[in-house]
Amino acid sequence: MLKSIIAKRDEAVAGGAGSAERTPSVRWALASLSLSMLLSSLGTSIANVGLPTLAQAFNASFQEVQWIVLAYLLAITTLIVSVGRLGDITGRRRLLLAGIFLFTVASVLCGIAPTLWLLIAARAVQGLGAAIMMALTMAFVGETITKAKTGSAMGLLGTMSAMGTALGPSLGGVLIAGPGWRAIFLVNLPLGILTFLLAHRYLPVDRRGPKTDSAGFDPAGTLLLALTLAAYALAMTIRHGDGRGSFGSLNMALLVAAALGVGLFVRAEAKAASPLIRLAMFRDRVLSASLAMSALVSTVMMATLVVGPFYLSRALGLNAALVGLVMSVGPLAAALTGVPAGRMADRFGAQRMTLVGLIATAAGSAVLSMMPATLGIPGYIAPMVVITVGYALFMTANNTAVMTDIHPDQRGVVSGMLSLSRNLGLITGASVMGAVFALASATIDITTARPEAVATGMRITFAVAAILIVVALAIAVGTYRRRWRTWRNRALAPGAALQATKKDSG
């Protein structure tokens, strides 16, 4: 599978006299990046299935054990852009190695934690390691893979991310039933050691450029961005203990704090000598559009995870085992689509494949919004496969379109911004699409709602999802049409200049 990705790179290596022996094997470098993506995604999904067991083990409430998941997500969301920028400045290889080491050690600490709050603290440290791994894996693609094969490499990373997400619940269930809950964290130890050894041996050594090229770090911007993102993430995830998930005054206060934080961050970055994020980057319409589309599509994908279990259990009457089996079909479809999606992005162009992915996601959402419950499991799975395949195609093509032409000293921060937009979409989707589902079901407690009410809520939620994807499509069409017009004008410019020259000489 990796041979097609590395063929051109190997040719370039073969042409380099004297340096060929020192050039790392691209195949094994890509394997280390893939494992990094797998581990960080696995860490996101494997703990969820263990929350009921952990609540019993520590004699804690659901609201308390939920922080095991929240601490990990908050650490990733608040720090992913900052660690990407840090990698651009200090060297991506050494920082990625530090991230893998941190993730592995923190996993062991999670596995041996004697109290709930020590477990939560270790999960936050694990999230920091995962943020580094997520931010820098995509950034490394530009250094290890030729531009012509970037899509295939992005597709492989997307596949590993989907595999980690899909594998988490089933692997976690097996480990909890066997060795116990501590094993869901300790399983990362052998995988982390293998990833570290491969990355240490095969990733390209950091190149030190002239001192004039190295920008300083932006501590004020980093702190402001972290606090702003933390406030937003907490506003979207904290819920009252009444079981209804109400959005209260604390949530509103956190949203106001996040809005103020955005203003302060923009002001600080405009004055900073070496800003964390160069605000001029957002003048690039392709980058801005890609970030907005990624957030919208991720919001919709979270709707499948929020609504799916309730629809399958309440409306279709499936037991827990069948619900888990049906829910795994989507991530499995995304995993199988990743590498082919990358090859199509390389062959047909990332922008065209971005549009195809969005159209597929919109079509699947529209079909689900009209799907009668009488069609049962097949009626749910078929459009869900279309949605997840479209999502995998979109994410691969969108990431490829952004990362292919990015300047080397900005790869880390832009990769972090892409991951951040996805995470913010997931966090927003969990709150907003969950609220849409609850309102559309017209019930106080969704866990005891009538099957007809749940089915109606599902259809209305995916009607909203289809609208969001249509908005993303409009953004894509507007951005790419403008870019294609620019390319056409540039292509015609030499001919126009020649005509002008002939007229002058006549």
Side-chain angles (χ1 to χ4, degrees):
M1 179 171 61
L2 299 180
K3 286 183 180 178
S4 62
I5 299 177
I6 65 170
K8 291 192 177 181
R9 183 72 178 184
D10 284 346
E11 289 171 12
V13 169
S19 64
E21 301 82 28
R22 297 192 302 272
T23 304
S25 165
V26 180
R27 181 183 290 108
W28 289 109
L30 197 53
S32 70
L33 297 178
S34 299
L35 280 171
S36 296
M37 188 64 79
L38 176 71
L39 279 173
S40 53
S41 300
L42 190 64
T44 304
S45 62
I46 198 169
N48 295 45
V49 73
L51 292 185
T53 304
L54 289 162
Q56 287 184 332
F58 291 108
N59 193 25
S61 67
F62 178 76
Q63 282 74 27
E64 289 172 330
V65 296
Q66 200 174 17
W67 279 95
I68 296 168
V69 174
L70 287 179
Y72 187 84
L73 290 176
L74 281 170
I76 293 174
T77 303
T78 55
L79 298 171
I80 197 162
V81 175
S82 303
V83 296
R85 180 62 183 146
L86 195 60
D88 290 334
I89 296 170
T90 65
R92 298 188 191 103
R93 181 179 179 271
R94 63 171 62 90
L95 187 59
L96 180 57
L97 288 172
I100 297 169
F101 177 79
L102 198 61
F103 181 89
T104 306
V105 171
S107 297
V108 174
L109 294 176
C110 289
I112 62 174
T115 67
L116 176 62
W117 298 111
L118 284 174
L119 173 57
I120 291 169
R123 278 284 284 176
V125 177
Q126 192 187 33
L128 171 57
I132 295 171
M133 292 156 74
M134 284 182 175
L136 297 185
T137 46
M138 280 198 295
F140 257 111
V141 168
E143 296 181 21
T144 54
I145 304 298
T146 58
K147 186 181 287 190
K149 292 294 180 182
T150 299
S152 298
M154 289 293 182
L156 179 61
L157 294 182
T159 294
M160 299 307 285
S161 177
M163 281 179 62
T165 304
L167 189 62
S170 54
L171 178 61
V174 170
L175 291 173
I176 290 170
W181 68 264
R182 295 184 186 277
I184 65 177
F185 303 111
L186 295 176
V187 71
N188 292 324
L189 178 60
L191 291 173
I193 291 172
L194 175 61
T195 306
F196 184 90
L197 292 175
L198 286 174
H200 185 270
R201 173 69 179 85
Y202 293 108
L203 285 182
V205 177
D206 296 322
R207 291 189 295 271
R208 286 197 173 276
K211 287 189 178 179
T212 53
D213 291 340
S214 63
F217 197 58
D218 178 16
T222 300
L223 181 62
L224 278 171
L225 182 63
L227 292 174
T228 300
L229 293 173
Y232 179 77
L234 285 170
M236 292 291 106
T237 50
I238 284 181
R239 290 293 178 264
H240 296 293
D242 57 4
R244 289 183 261 173
S246 55
F247 200 85
S249 56
L250 175 60
N251 304 83
M252 289 304 301
L254 287 167
L255 277 181
V256 171
L260 290 173
V262 169
L264 291 172
F265 176 74
V266 169
R267 186 175 179 183
E269 295 306 276
K271 295 181 177 180
S274 301
L276 174 65
I277 297 174
R278 295 174 187 169
L279 299 179
M281 290 167 60
F282 293 103
R283 293 175 193 158
D284 181 346
R285 289 190 176 93
V286 173
L287 175 61
S288 298
S290 294
L291 295 173
M293 291 187 293
S294 178
L296 285 169
V297 174
S298 297
T299 299
V300 169
M301 285 310 297
M302 181 51 78
T304 67
L305 301 177
V306 170
V307 176
F310 290 106
Y311 177 73
L312 293 171
S313 61
R314 298 294 305 163
L316 300 187
L318 305 186
N319 60 34
L322 265 177
V323 168
L325 191 63
V326 173
M327 289 290 292
S328 68
V329 171
L332 181 62
L336 294 174
T337 306
V339 173
R343 288 174 180 162
M344 285 191 285
D346 286 334
R347 182 172 180 181
F348 301 111
Q351 294 174 352
R352 285 191 183 94
M353 289 301 102
T354 298
L355 292 173
V356 172
L358 287 172
I359 291 168
T361 307
S365 300
V367 170
L368 263 182
S369 71
M370 298 179 285
M371 188 63 62
T374 52
L375 291 179
I377 296 175
Y380 178 82
I381 287 180
M384 190 58 64
V385 167
V386 175
I387 290 173
T388 50
V389 167
Y391 171 73
L393 186 56
F394 164 79
M395 279 298 178
T396 299
N398 189 52
N399 291 345
T400 302
V402 173
M403 296 303 295
T404 299
D405 296 319
I406 210 72
H407 195 274
D409 71 351
Q410 289 290 301
R411 282 182 187 138
V413 71
V414 171
S415 174
M417 288 164 65
L418 281 170
S419 297
L420 173 64
S421 66
R422 176 179 174 273
N423 275 13
L424 288 179
L426 293 174
I427 290 170
T428 304
S431 179
V432 174
M433 300 306 273
V436 170
F437 179 53
L439 287 171
S441 300
T443 182
I444 295 175
D445 187 358
I446 197 70
T447 60
T448 58
R450 291 180 298 106
E452 299 82 10
V454 173
T456 300
M458 188 274 289
R459 286 192 288 270
I460 293 175
T461 302
F462 278 97
V464 173
I467 292 170
L468 292 178
I469 300 299
V470 169
V471 172
L473 257 173
I475 293 171
V477 170
T479 304
Y480 296 155
R481 182 186 293 167
R482 191 179 291 112
R483 196 173 191 187
W484 287 329
R485 192 182 298 132
T486 303
W487 285 341
R488 185 188 63 187
N489 291 341
R490 285 176 182 171
L492 294 174
L498 183 63
Q499 291 291 335
T501 304
K502 286 181 178 178
K503 188 178 288 186
D504 290 342
S505 61

